Structure formats: structure tokens, C-alpha cells
Amino acid sequence: RTDCPDADSTLVYLVTGENELFVFDPPALSFRLVAKLACPAGAGATPFSMAVDRKGVAYVVYTDGQLFRVSTLTGACVATPFAANQQGFTTFGMGFSSNGGGAAETLWVVDAPFDGNGGDARLASIDTTTFKLSVVGTIAPAIPRGELTGTGDGRLLAYWADPNSTAGSHVAQLDKGNARVLAQTFLPTVGHPRMAYAFAFWGGDFWIFTSRGNFISQGTDVTRFTPGQPAVAVATFPSTVVGAGVSTCAPAE
């Protein structure tokens, strides 16, 4: 892409439940610590999810619903004017998707209540100028909660653990206009409904990060899913990844 200002923004960024920001290099399967985050969140709040725009700026939502802007270069963190609980969205999965394949992009979110007691997940967007949240609709067929990632050609993709099984998860493409699932694939060996997970698209592959347990500091498994092929476990990581973000400038293949 000729409209992407920083080549480093095409890597995958990870945020952990331990308040760490990492860079993940998919070809090398390597992790590099950027910084320990010190966002001014509420007492006891920890990162919940993350998205990264095409300028390499991360947006991190915490478990108390506050949304922060984080430098992927230094980890410096500032609060945004986003008001938590807009339209009932407190915690949510998130990802940027290009608007029709151009340089403009939108931050998309899918509600995912931290207490796990929500109903069917809804799709919405957040204007990163006004920080107003606008709901598109309830995702159909219904999903319980999810994580999002987007692409430079305008696709919006979702990942969620299957709520009706002890193992298994789904990858799907969503229609940004009406929140409908356009197509989906079931991954029988990846994910668990009670575990933390994160999701990113890079180099034509989906990179899925699933925690090993229900608590922080039990580690994360990294899985690569190439469409049309079985999902493959490729790495492990000692921290609990709760969010992944990748620029829409990232390579598509």
C-alpha cells in the first residue's frame, strides 16, 4: 500500500490481561514487549480488547468500559471522550475495517459483556472523532460475543467460541450494513467458551489467541487458520492475550 505511513503498523499488536503491549511478528512467530501499560483506568480494571488503526494507533477498551488511545511505539496511553455503556455497550470486541478498500476506515465493535451475562451480540461502529457509538443491529444468526478483525479491502471478520460445546469456535464474515453473517467456518479444535481470546487477520491467515484457563497468567495458545485448511497450533505465550489489533495496511496474502 502506498497510503500507509508506517511499515511497523503492519505487524500484529497484542494486549494482555497483565497490562502489557506486545508486537507479534507472524512470519517469525516472535513476540516483543513494547511497554507495560499505565492507562488511567478504574481500580482493578484491566484490558479487555484492542484494535489498531492504519496509523499504528491502538484503541484499548478496559473491563470498566473506558476506551483509551495507546501508542504502539511507546505504550503511552491517554483517555478518549468515549462514554461507557453507550447503547448498552460496556465491554466489546473490536477491529478496524477499510471503507470500500480505500484509506478511510471505521472502528467496528461487537458487544461482549465482561460478566458473560449478555444476550445475542450486536454490531456497532464508533466514530473516532466524536466517539459516538452507532448500532447496526443484532448479529444474525446469533452469536454470544465475539472479537473482530478487518481487512484493507473492506471485509469485517468475527471470531467467537462455540457456547454449546467444550471445544470449538467459529470464524465468519459479517455484513457491515445489516450485521448478518455472510459465511462461517467451524474450527472444532480451537477455543473454549469460558476462555479469553483474541483474533487478527494477517498475510492471508487468521491468527487466533486463546487463553489456557479462566484466570490471568495461565498462558495463551496461538493458532494459525488458513481458509480451506485445518487450523494449526503454532506457538505458545506465557501471558494472557485478551486483545489483538492489526492495521488495514497489513498484507492480504
Side-chain angles (χ1 to χ4, degrees), residues 203-219:
D205 296 325
F206 296 100
W207 299 86
I208 303 167
F209 305 85
T210 51
S211 68
R212 293 181 176 178
N214 299 336
F215 303 99
I216 298 299
S217 302
Q218 292 186 308

Side-chain angles (χ1 to χ4, degrees), residues 69-171:
R69 285 171 52 99
V70 176
S71 166
T72 56
L73 179 64
T74 67
C77 178
V78 296
T80 71
F82 179 78
N85 204 34
Q86 289 186 57
Q87 306 285 334
F89 280 67
T90 300
T91 48
F92 39 81
M94 53 202 302
F96 279 92
S97 175
S98 171
N99 300 341
E105 59 185 357
T106 297
L107 176 58
W108 295 92
V109 298
V110 55
D111 53 354
F114 180 53
D115 60 12
N117 294 322
D120 297 338
R122 297 168 295 160
L123 179 67
S125 63
I126 295 176
D127 185 321
T128 54
T129 300
T130 65
F131 288 92
K132 178 183 178 181
L133 182 145
S134 301
V135 176
V136 174
T138 300
I139 296 173
I143 72 173
R145 65 184 181 94
E147 278 291 351
L148 299 176
T149 191
T151 65
D153 61 7
R155 286 173 289 165
L156 182 65
L157 305 147
Y159 172 84
W160 69 94
D162 194 304
N164 300 313
S165 65
T166 57
S169 56
H170 302 259
V171 171

